[in-house]
Amino acid sequence: TGAAFAAAEAAQSVVGRLLSSGAGQGSGSPSALWSRLSSPWHRPRRLCASDLVSPEGRPRVGLLIDMDGTFYSPLGLLPGATELYRRVRALGVPFVFVSNTGAKAASGVCAKLARGPFRLPAPLPDPERHAWTAADAQVAWMVDRVPKDARVFVISGGSCPFWAGMLRARAPELVASWELRTALSDAEAKRWAAMAALDGDRRARVFVVFFLDGELSSTVDPSTGESGFTDWSFDVIKKASYLLAHGATFVCTAEDAFNPSEDPAYPGLVWPLPGPGMFAAMMRKVMYPQGLGRVHCLGKGGHAGARYLTQRAVGMLRAQGHSGDLDKVIIIGDRYDTDIRAGIQAGVRTCLVETGCHSPALQCHYPADVPDFIMPSVGAIAALLPAAAPRPRSPAATHHSRAPEGPKRSWSASGALGLGRAPS
């Protein structure tokens, strides 16, 4: 049974990437993606300056930059992160910080980058332009996909129920029609489970939703005023299992199995804290095999995340002046199964840095998630960028040096921003 489950998950991962990569030509199309996945000659190389800037020092790419393990660690910004930020800002390189956190929105990420050991130099990133998280993506998905009068059981982390305010701000009438709960009695959980079982495959009215990075925090139930779950207990797992085993839809923010932590008393060792992917895998076990089609992951590497996170982030690059050409977007991250996978799904170029969870030695365990580039750190990437912006050229020089443009692969503005209801 264990071997069959692993084989099913592997097949689902590959086929899902083929189906979610979108139609059309180029590296994001299903045929091109299959060619990439099956090619034994695709090998990553180091980035060079010409991948990032023109000979005159002008940006050639937009950057999607992962956070934990790539840009900062639990103790603060990683070496070179500040310099990369300074040079990206000085050159006017379009960038978006893309995080798989389910416990804070873009505003929370930018607030973190404004204080303590995580503080970046001015100008600080704008949460409307420069950051997008799995939690943001999940809110957008719920507004699109959770129907009127649904039952929604939220298991939450973070310091406050930020997600509730975001949902109400985006769709107040829709969210008001939901029965939104953070605590359920046994009787209520069984009643909701029976409703899900009666609905079958005809419609989805019952949802279990994760907004967390691993740890839980008590969130007051909007209906009863009762305190929500404060930790992973048999009780919370049992009630979620009641719902999911009988047909509820499972929505989660990320597949990251653990969050790295450090202890100065043990330099060089990383201490894994249980992450959202660990608990999501537990939920999948109770849904296997019939329920796997009712799982929706909104983070990097998730099938729904390809549209609601990565495409949205590319749309944010376009809003900063990027062309939308997918060959001129690079996602930088430290994990094969989230960051690199998300880039492959989207048809953008990918760069693994060796400062976080995964190293090149682990590539054999992720044969379908081969990056275009491998770099030691974001500091090594920063060293490839000029320290200052180039001097403006005269209009005549600009006119004569412009190369003819060929066809570009890009999402439409509406598709990039994740507007409208996603197909079932």
Side-chain angles (χ1 to χ4, degrees):
T1 302
F5 182 69
E9 283 201 320
Q12 183 192 37
S13 175
V14 173
V15 172
R17 266 172 276 169
L18 291 171
L19 295 177
S20 67
S21 57
Q25 300 301 313
S27 61
S29 68
S31 59
L33 180 58
W34 179 256
S35 175
R36 176 188 179 121
L37 294 179
S38 60
S39 171
W41 298 283
H42 180 74
R43 293 289 184 270
R45 63 174 176 84
R46 287 180 66 95
L47 274 169
C48 56
S50 61
D51 294 311
L52 304 174
V53 293
S54 69
E56 298 80 20
R58 288 175 172 79
R60 282 181 163 166
V61 297
L63 300 179
L64 304 179
I65 306 171
D66 173 53
M67 303 305 295
D68 206 349
T70 299
F71 201 76
Y72 55 56
S73 76
L75 300 181
L77 295 173
L78 287 168
T82 298
E83 189 59 30
L84 177 66
Y85 183 73
R86 282 199 182 103
R87 297 191 183 198
V88 162
R89 280 299 214 178
L91 294 171
V93 176
F95 73 96
V96 178
F97 290 122
V98 285
S99 171
N100 260 8
T101 179
K104 53 182 172 288
S107 57
V109 168
C110 291
K112 182 173 183 173
L113 296 174
R115 61 178 184 263
F118 302 93
R119 183 175 180 81
L120 289 173
L124 292 171
D126 179 351
E128 297 293 327
R129 291 167 53 82
H130 298 126
W132 193 246
T133 73
D136 292 303
Q138 188 157 285
V139 166
W141 185 94
M142 291 176 70
V143 168
D144 276 357
R145 298 291 297 271
V146 178
K148 185 179 179 183
D149 299 322
R151 271 68 170 172
V152 183
F153 178 40
V154 177
I155 301 174
S156 175
S159 58
C160 64
F162 67 94
W163 45 267
M166 293 171 65
L167 286 166
R168 293 188 181 105
R170 289 185 63 125
E173 292 184 10
L174 174 65
V175 176
S177 77
W178 298 345
E179 187 172 351
L180 189 61
R181 303 292 301 275
T182 59
L184 290 173
S185 67
D186 265 26
E188 289 170 326
K190 289 176 180 177
R191 186 167 65 250
W192 284 26
M195 179 186 297
L198 286 173
D199 288 342
D201 295 330
R202 295 173 301 163
R203 55 179 174 170
R205 287 191 298 164
V206 181
F207 295 80
V208 175
V209 179
F210 280 7
F211 277 104
L212 51 89
D213 285 341
E215 284 188 288
L216 302 188
S217 61
S218 179
T219 302
V220 174
D221 189 281
S223 298
T224 65
E226 179 186 355
S227 294
F229 296 99
T230 59
D231 203 356
W232 288 101
S233 63
F234 182 83
D235 192 41
V236 65
I237 296 168
K238 175 187 70 176
K239 289 167 181 173
S241 298
Y242 285 169
L243 303 181
L244 295 172
H246 289 90
T249 298
F250 178 47
V251 188
C252 60
T253 47
E255 298 284 15
D256 303 63
F258 67 91
N259 301 309
S261 65
E262 299 177 14
D263 185 342
Y266 298 91
L269 296 181
V270 175
W271 306 98
L273 302 177
M278 186 180 296
F279 299 106
M282 182 167 54
M283 299 297 129
R284 280 191 176 91
K285 287 287 187 181
V286 79
M287 300 176 74
Y288 181 81
Q290 291 92 346
L292 293 182
R294 301 193 308 272
V295 178
H296 303 277
C297 178
L298 276 298
K300 289 171 290 179
H303 302 155
R307 172 188 169 98
Y308 285 88
L309 196 151
T310 316
Q311 288 189 26
R312 169 63 189 246
V314 172
M316 295 170 73
L317 292 178
R318 290 180 57 156
Q320 297 174 47
H322 190 273
S323 66
D325 181 354
L326 302 183
D327 282 332
K328 295 180 180 177
V329 176
I330 300 176
I331 185 169
I332 303 168
D334 68 307
R335 293 185 66 106
Y336 289 114
D337 57 346
T338 58
D339 307 305
I340 304 307
R341 186 171 298 172
I344 294 171
Q345 287 173 332
V348 305
R349 293 192 290 171
T350 56
C351 179
L352 182 81
V353 291
E354 300 180 63
T355 51
C357 286
H358 290 163
S359 68
L362 296 176
Q363 177 70 80
C364 59
H365 300 288
Y366 305 94
D369 304 307
V370 183
D372 294 293
F373 310 105
I374 294 179
M375 293 294 283
S377 66
V378 291
I381 298 172
L384 300 176
L385 296 171
R391 294 180 180 178
R393 291 179 290 179
S394 68
T398 302
H399 174 76
H400 291 300
S401 63
R402 185 179 297 142
E405 295 187 356
K408 292 182 173 60
R409 303 189 316 280
S410 63
W411 282 295
S412 66
S414 61
L417 295 176
L419 301 177
R421 186 172 289 270
S424 299

